[in-house]
Amino acid sequence: MTKIGKRGLLGLAGAALAAPAFAQGAFPTRTITMVVPFAAGGPTDTVARLIAQSMSTNLGQTVVVENVGGAGGTLGAQRTAQARPDGYNILMHHIGMSTIPTLYRRLAYDATGGFETIGLVTEVPMTLVGRNGLPAQNMQELVALVKREGERLNYANAGIGAASHLCGLLLMQAMGTRMTTVPYRGTGPAMNDLLAGTVDLMCDQTTNTTEQIKAGGIRAFAVTTPERLESLPDLATAAQGGLPGFEVSVWHGLYAPKGTPAPVIARLNQALVAALQDPNVGTRFAALGTAPVPVARATPEAHREFWQADIAKWRPLIQAAGQYAD
């Protein structure tokens, strides 16, 4: 008789336990839990609740959002990675899924191999903004200022691993100059200090900056996407401002535990694609300054390819900065 190790026995046992749920092709037959690894009310939570509501209609079962915040989004990810791979526990996470494997050197779960990809959801643009009174009126002048002043300028972020932190790493790499980084406990306090003129620069999602830009509370230098935004048509892209290669957005994707059967992943993806094509979701996303990804990018395969490329993109930047979250 062929010997089977402990992990093999556990895997066979898990498959045997999960099999009845899918043998009759009835998935889903009960409530699905969508974990959001951040607090309620934030951008990822908002995206998750819109998608969960629409997916519920398509699946014929309720998709409940559960907020499992803490440790930079790793606690919620761990919960999902270690859940039973039966399709009833899924995860909505953002760009952090690309940076966690490098930012955290000691994790209780496999940050890349512990998940099946279901599909990309959306990408939220970011804007590079500065305090009023900064002696630069446009992107060209800002690049010259940063190169001249270097670490005498303060760059605010919402903490290590936050989108604003990552955007700053990419910005400094593109400019070839380091600034003094000032980490905060969230976007709110960082934005407050930028409005007060205590710090010089910040990069954040359009959902958090658009109103302040339009109100004149802060100065906008560029949008970090290849194209200009309908919500801020006069704001040039970084490339148009003379800084090619400075492109970053906060993308969201849907995951299931590793080993979730392919037919279940396919059914969840079908519901996700239907949600992305839901007019109500499109309208609500537009109000947030974003849009659903094209259907071609919402496949499990396209999602995984994009995720792996993004991990490779951020790894050298994080390692060069030498700032880790553990």
Side-chain angles (χ1 to χ4, degrees):
M1 181 181 291
T2 303
K3 293 183 179 180
I4 301 175
K6 183 177 180 182
R7 288 179 61 86
L9 287 172
L10 289 174
L12 289 173
L17 287 171
F22 317 119
Q24 300 176 18
F27 177 84
T29 59
R30 54 186 172 86
T31 297
I32 295 171
T33 298
M34 181 186 292
V35 169
V36 171
F38 306 102
T44 302
D45 180 70
T46 300
V47 168
R49 291 181 187 277
L50 288 172
I51 293 297
Q53 182 179 15
S54 186
M55 286 182 67
S56 296
T57 300
N58 183 272
L59 292 167
Q61 295 289 338
T62 302
V63 180
V64 175
V65 173
E66 180 181 359
N67 298 94
V68 185
T74 63
L75 293 184
Q78 179 180 337
R79 167 84 67 88
T80 305
Q82 296 175 345
R84 185 179 178 183
D86 56 8
Y88 291 97
N89 294 276
I90 58 179
L91 171 73
M92 179 73 78
H93 211 312
H94 63 23
I95 190 175
M97 286 292 281
S98 294
T99 59
I100 283 172
T102 308
L103 277 172
Y104 292 83
R105 294 162 293 183
R106 293 174 293 276
L107 288 169
Y109 68 100
D110 188 339
T112 55
F115 302 93
E116 304 285 355
T117 50
I118 297 173
L120 290 171
V121 178
T122 185
E123 289 191 78
V124 180
M126 302 191 77
T127 50
L128 177 60
V129 295
R131 63 175 173 83
N132 284 329
L134 197 66
Q137 298 296 321
N138 53 48
M139 195 65 187
Q140 291 93 336
E141 291 181 7
L142 179 64
V143 172
L145 176 68
V146 171
K147 292 192 176 207
R148 184 172 66 249
E149 298 295 327
E151 293 185 348
R152 286 189 289 271
L153 292 174
N154 295 321
Y155 175 87
N157 65 53
I160 292 178
S164 52
H165 168 235
L166 302 174
C167 190
L169 292 181
L170 193 63
L171 174 66
M172 286 183 270
Q173 181 205 49
M175 289 187 174
T177 306
R178 296 189 67 84
M179 291 178 280
T180 297
T181 57
V182 184
Y184 287 79
R185 289 182 175 272
T187 300
M191 179 58 74
N192 288 339
D193 273 8
L194 186 67
L195 288 164
T198 305
V199 291
D200 299 308
L201 291 167
M202 183 177 174
C203 186
D204 202 12
Q205 300 177 57
T206 53
T207 51
N208 297 324
T209 61
T210 300
E211 289 187 6
Q212 298 293 355
I213 292 170
K214 290 182 174 180
I218 53 179
R219 182 175 298 163
F221 293 100
V223 60
T224 65
T225 50
E227 305 292 336
R228 295 193 183 207
L229 304 178
E230 289 186 13
S231 57
L232 296 167
D234 296 329
L235 182 59
T237 68
Q240 290 171 337
L243 196 64
F246 177 48
E247 294 180 8
V248 59
S249 59
V250 183
W251 58 271
H252 294 83
L254 203 58
Y255 305 81
K258 184 69 175 179
T260 301
V264 176
I265 295 295
R267 181 68 184 95
L268 289 168
N269 175 261
Q270 181 185 47
L272 172 61
V273 169
L276 297 178
Q277 295 176 318
D278 183 340
N280 179 61
V281 171
T283 299
R284 295 290 301 279
F285 273 13
L288 296 173
T290 185
V293 299
V295 171
R297 297 190 63 205
T299 67
E301 297 76 19
H303 180 184
R304 179 163 292 277
E305 182 178 351
F306 177 82
W307 179 28
Q308 295 301 322
D310 217 40
I311 291 173
K313 169 185 174 179
W314 290 110
R315 182 180 291 119
L317 293 178
I318 294 169
Q319 291 174 336
Q323 296 177 324
Y324 299 96
D326 57 9

